[in-house]
Amino acid sequence: MTGPAGPARLAERAGPVRRWRAELAWLPGLGVRPDVLIEATGDRVTAVTPGAAPGHAPGATRLPGLTLPGLANAHSHAFHRGLRGITQAGEGTFWTWRERMYELAARLEPASYLALARVVYAEMALAGITCVGEFHYLHHGLGGTPYADPNEMGKAVITAASEAGIRITLLDACYLSGGLAPDGTPVPLAGPQLRFGDGDGDAWAARAEALGADSRGMLGPLARAGAAIHSVRAVPPAQMHAVIAWAQRHGVPLHAHLSEQTAENLACQAAYRATPAEVLHEAGALGPRATVVHATHLAGRDTVLIGGSRAFACFCPTTEADLADGIGPARALASAGSRLTLGSDSQAVIDIFEEARRVELGERLASQRRGHFTAAELATAATADGHASLGWPDAGAIVPGALADLVTVALDSPRLAGAGPDTVLESVIFAATAADVRNVVVGGRDVVRDGRHQLIEDVPAALSAAIRAVLD
Ligand SMILES: [Zn+2]
């Protein structure tokens, strides 16, 4: 039943009216413009007026600096934040890093997972991230025993994002095996991995269904459902179909780790006589709602299969550098038809500007040539395309009708002082850090104001406490 539809009732439903006056704002099709009046009702932008006269909206909130659409972190494992620094000590590989990650995974329970994820997402908010894609595989209790609510862990990260004030797409990951044996048989999950498993694809889908997404795929006011195939190592092709079918039925994003390591490619070739991209293609997992994460070591026709399907390619360059994965073919994938997105993945750092410039800088190092991506292309990966890959096509651009998610980067820091008016986007993409983010708005609501999180008092202290609680 709906209530009375009088003007007062409609205004209440639409939410408060807000106005911001951005010193500079990056607008689709227009580039960076000065004196931009941005108006919103509730969580939606209603008007955008570049070159607004000074007296036009005297009550508007001033946003000094460059205002961008909210940033999308398209690939996150929140709990990996607890490993920052620890895994930098000594030598090692991706595989030794993974052992440390498993030790931490074994310690998390719903309450400690919520406490940690909440402050990791607050760190993301302070870095200008207004939407996170949480690639979630820590499903069950120790030994793989389901909690009373089998989705308790997934609901914990949704609550965490809500309390930190940011959007989330819960990319619920199917994770069934611990790898592929040299003869291609799946290795059963063992030890800490037992928590990741649902048994088979159908059981995964039944649990994902019980999350209770509505007809638009929503799990809450700021939360959306999504699906993930952990990787070809963790999900045999015959089990992928249940995940793909569930994602298609709900019209939600489908993500998968792909070819992060050459060892994965070798095991996949031994098992299936195909590359990971060919396995996903054969299974029907690629397409415009799909995202392949990393895509570092592609071979043969992989680039054509991924780009031709219009799948997104998510690059996580700080993690890929940290884990000595390699440099993926970003330009080749983009030229083949993939839209690029960016992720903080292992949380080695949480800084989408750093991820964005490293896509271009990696290409430069690999090719010994400059100029593969423009600052605007990298900013699009960080905003509109990142959101689209997470199922939020109406976020990531400052236009009427879009979600009112804004990030303002101060230009008075030592890093950005002197930025020229014609190259300010280049200055921000190639020199800004997360510390330069001054104001963040999510759905018309202030989440960060003057560099301070508005919902969580002291984010560094809260991060320290949450990390100590799971490590000590
Ligand atoms: Zn990952």
Side-chain angles (χ1 to χ4, degrees):
M1 191 176 130
T2 54
R9 176 73 189 176
L10 284 175
E12 180 193 319
R13 197 179 297 160
V17 174
R18 293 205 60 191
R19 294 185 177 84
W20 301 269
R21 189 180 190 83
E23 180 187 5
L24 297 166
W26 180 57
L27 304 176
L30 298 174
V32 173
R33 290 299 183 96
D35 299 320
V36 180
L37 181 67
I38 303 164
E39 299 174 82
T41 300
D43 66 355
R44 298 272 166 181
V45 174
T46 51
V48 178
T49 312
H56 189 64
T61 302
R62 286 186 66 248
L63 296 174
L66 175 64
T67 296
L68 304 168
L71 306 177
N73 183 1
H75 188 70
S76 158
H77 308 283
F79 76 90
H80 294 187
R81 173 65 176 86
L83 300 168
R84 188 181 293 175
I86 294 170
T87 52
Q88 306 295 355
E91 297 176 355
T93 64
F94 171 91
W95 307 101
T96 56
W97 167 86
R98 194 176 72 156
E99 289 306 313
R100 302 303 302 270
M101 185 269 282
Y102 283 167
E103 289 172 24
L104 176 54
R107 292 163 172 246
L108 290 164
E109 293 291 337
S112 55
Y113 195 29
L114 166 59
L116 179 58
R118 173 178 176 269
V119 286
V120 174
Y121 296 151
E123 180 182 352
M124 289 185 193
L126 288 169
I129 292 162
T130 55
C131 184
V132 61
E134 179 65 27
F135 197 106
H136 167 69
Y137 52 79
L138 201 48
H139 300 305
H140 302 300
L142 276 182
T145 308
Y147 291 103
D149 175 350
N151 284 307
E152 200 167 339
M153 294 292 257
K155 288 175 181 174
V157 291
I158 290 172
T159 302
S162 168
E163 291 185 5
I166 68 171
R167 302 183 194 282
I168 185 170
T169 298
L170 183 73
L171 299 161
D172 194 301
C174 182
Y175 195 137
L176 303 175
S177 55
L180 294 166
D183 66 353
T185 49
V187 177
L189 296 176
Q193 298 172 331
L194 290 167
R195 305 188 70 176
F196 312 157
D198 289 299
D200 62 27
D202 288 333
W204 173 89
R207 186 179 51 70
E209 188 68 23
L211 275 162
D214 72 13
S215 60
R216 298 179 305 131
M218 299 297 287
L219 295 168
L222 295 178
R224 268 185 185 284
I229 292 166
H230 179 278
S231 59
V232 298
R233 288 181 280 123
V235 185
Q239 301 298 327
M240 291 180 185
H241 298 296
V243 185
I244 297 163
W246 187 87
Q248 282 174 344
R249 194 161 64 248
H250 289 272
V252 300
L254 174 66
H255 288 218
H257 291 122
L258 182 109
S259 295
E260 179 176 7
Q261 292 282 323
T262 48
E264 172 181 307
N265 287 7
L266 294 172
C268 188
Q269 282 288 359
Y272 307 120
R273 298 185 191 285
T275 65
E278 287 170 337
V279 170
L280 288 187
H281 167 73
E282 282 297 316
L286 299 179
R289 270 201 305 273
T291 292
V292 295
V293 181
H294 302 303
T296 307
H297 299 285
L298 301 186
R301 59 185 188 134
D302 290 356
T303 307
V304 172
L305 288 178
I306 296 165
S309 79
R310 298 293 181 264
F312 295 89
C314 182
F315 278 64
C316 310
T318 64
T319 294
E320 290 147 9
D322 182 50
L323 296 178
D325 290 339
I327 299 169
R331 183 65 258 173
L333 279 165
S335 297
S338 284
R339 289 194 274 169
L340 301 187
T341 66
L342 304 165
S344 66
D345 191 10
S346 70
Q347 330 295 2
V349 297
I350 293 176
D351 188 334
I352 295 297
F353 302 116
E354 177 75 11
E355 305 296 345
R357 62 179 160 263
R358 275 177 175 267
V359 170
E360 165 65 18
L361 298 178
E363 289 281 346
R364 291 185 190 182
L365 289 170
S367 69
Q368 301 175 54
R369 282 188 300 106
R370 305 177 81 228
H372 304 268
F373 293 96
T374 64
E377 287 174 318
L378 298 171
T380 299
T383 57
D385 288 346
H387 280 98
S389 78
L390 296 174
W392 302 87
D394 48 355
I398 305 175
V399 288
L403 289 164
D405 298 356
L406 307 171
V407 173
T408 304
V409 181
L411 299 174
D412 57 1
S413 71
R415 289 168 292 280
L416 296 171
D422 297 333
T423 52
V424 67
L425 187 67
E426 285 75 5
S427 291
V428 166
I429 292 298
F430 284 95
T433 73
D436 297 316
V437 169
R438 190 68 53 85
N439 291 291
V440 178
V441 172
V442 179
R445 172 199 200 194
D446 289 336
V447 173
V448 176
R449 203 185 291 157
D450 289 331
R452 293 191 68 86
H453 201 287
Q454 298 298 295
L455 307 174
I456 295 172
E457 181 83 34
D458 183 341
V459 173
L463 270 165
S464 274
I467 291 168
R468 288 274 76 78
V470 295
L471 292 182
D472 290 348

